[in-house]
Amino acid sequence: MASQIEIEPVSAPLDASIRPPGSKSLTNRALVCAALARGRSTLHGALASEDTRVMIDALGTLGISIAESDRDRKLEVEGCGGKIPSQGAELYIANSGTTVRFLTALVSLAHGDFRLHGTPRMHERPISDLLESLADLGVNARSEAGTGCPPVLIQANGLHAARVAMRGNVSSQFLSALLMAAPYAEPSHMAAQLEIDITGQLVSKPYVEMTVAVMEAFGGRVTRSAELTHFETPQAVYQARTYEIEPDASAASYFWAAAAISGGRVLVEGLNRTSLQGDVAFCDCLAQMGCEVDYSARGTSVTGKPLRGIDVDMNAISDTVQTLAAVALFAEGPTTIRGVAHIRHKETDRIAALACELRKLGARVDEHHDGLTIVPGKLRSAVIQTYDDHRMAMSAALVGLRVPGVVIDDPDCTSKTYPNYFGDLAGLSTKM
């Protein structure tokens, strides 16, 4: 792909339907559970992207056989029954937060020495909460540089059941990682099963519910408190199965937002109120802003209407913060996004990056420790820096549907989760 891409404004309100590629979050969770399962699992609709590529490659390095069919995005996973074949390995995980966190817990079930490393940005992303919990379970797990970030060194000798505490305010992926490995924790003199207590606020709760749903689909069991502050995972062995992966709801947010910005209608197929992914709730934000939202068995459609600014806590759907920020530029009145301090630790500091790039486009932006306030202004063309962050590129491109001269720098960064995003976005206008 070219080093920059200029977005072509639409000539009329959109009227289109689309089915985004499979969910990254579900693909990587299903891969972990299938890898640990007994027998061969078949995953349908899996996402093909950098984040899933590094997960598949790393599992292969660990001795898990995965056969791929690109035509229908089918993955055949030969599970290991909880007995990791590799007795030591070096795993490259690029800048995939799900991969490094999920595999840090997974290799703790093995016996041997493991090193997980990635890009320079990955080596700035926190993982100490997970490492501390693993240490409490008898795992020699540490940050190689002593920064609380990758590279991660694991001297693995299995997990031992106990009751541990884990902070929840930085990333829910730490909890998800430990939960998926937990059924294989060996009973100890301290406990018969692994129990986890969450201290402080747990961010991105829908992603934890997604993890539990995938675990249960493969035969695991999780008991949890209503407030998601306490979890119990009895010993079990995941069982192989055929698993269908939903379209990615975070990716779908861009197309729902395109309808809002263009004043048109876009139907996203395969996602509705019954979906496992919490990011479908992004449509509730658009409804608050004035859009019409319709849920059906086929999918969810958004019809754009005159937009108004809102004040919203997006802690539970923080991967869609940048998408809503793009929509806010076209609203009447300010929009305040709160409760998302943890997105400063993503692929980039997303709050600071958003503030910088939205100002280039003509908005006034007040940055807060846990979010930002966006006051629309006279919009203008700009070259948008993407900070090697796929969501910066995909969300900023939406502005170009209405504003001429919006140029996205380094558009190839979308390969992390959605390699054909710009083609699909441009294709919306051809489906009218």
Side-chain angles (χ1 to χ4, degrees), residues 107-327:
V107 301
S108 297
L109 300 171
H111 297 271
D113 296 341
F114 299 85
R115 181 176 185 263
L116 295 85
H117 67 106
T119 65
R121 175 58 183 171
M122 173 52 70
H123 295 171
E124 297 173 348
R125 298 179 67 179
I127 197 170
S128 58
D129 290 340
L130 176 58
L131 299 181
E132 290 168 11
S133 294
L134 289 172
D136 290 340
L137 296 171
V139 180
N140 187 338
R142 62 186 178 88
S143 163
E144 182 178 76
T147 60
C149 302
V152 170
L153 301 178
I154 305 285
Q155 291 178 297
N157 192 32
L159 281 181
H160 305 286
R163 185 167 181 170
V164 297
M166 173 180 280
R167 289 185 291 272
N169 65 324
V170 173
S171 175
S172 66
Q173 290 175 359
F174 304 143
L175 173 58
S176 288
L178 193 52
L179 282 174
M180 286 188 287
Y184 294 92
E186 295 289 339
S188 68
H189 68 280
M190 294 184 292
Q193 63 184 5
L194 197 152
E195 299 185 32
I196 307 168
D197 294 309
I198 298 299
T199 61
Q201 180 189 30
L202 176 60
V203 299
S204 304
K205 290 181 179 180
Y207 284 91
V208 176
E209 293 288 10
M210 181 197 303
T211 300
V212 172
V214 176
M215 291 173 63
E216 291 177 341
F218 282 86
R221 290 190 296 124
V222 181
T223 301
R224 57 204 184 277
S225 63
E227 302 81 12
L228 299 186
T229 55
H230 180 74
F231 297 80
E232 298 178 5
T233 52
Q235 192 175 31
V237 176
Y238 294 131
Q239 300 302 314
R241 59 157 295 171
T242 297
Y243 189 82
E244 297 283 344
I245 293 169
E246 298 173 350
D248 194 293
S250 304
S253 74
Y254 307 116
F255 303 114
W256 289 320
I261 287 171
S262 75
R265 176 183 178 274
V266 175
L267 167 68
V268 174
E269 301 171 1
L271 292 171
N272 53 38
R273 285 289 196 191
T274 65
S275 298
L276 291 177
Q277 299 167 79
D279 280 359
V280 172
F282 175 76
C283 292
D284 295 338
C285 297
L286 295 181
Q288 291 179 53
M289 297 183 84
C291 293
E292 179 183 315
V293 181
D294 180 59
Y295 300 95
S296 68
R298 184 183 175 195
T300 300
S301 67
V302 169
T303 302
K305 302 289 183 181
L307 297 168
R308 56 181 176 270
I310 59 173
D311 186 318
V312 59
D313 186 327
M314 297 187 73
N315 183 279
I317 55 170
S318 59
D319 275 349
T320 64
V321 166
Q322 290 139 299
T323 323
L324 192 74
V327 177

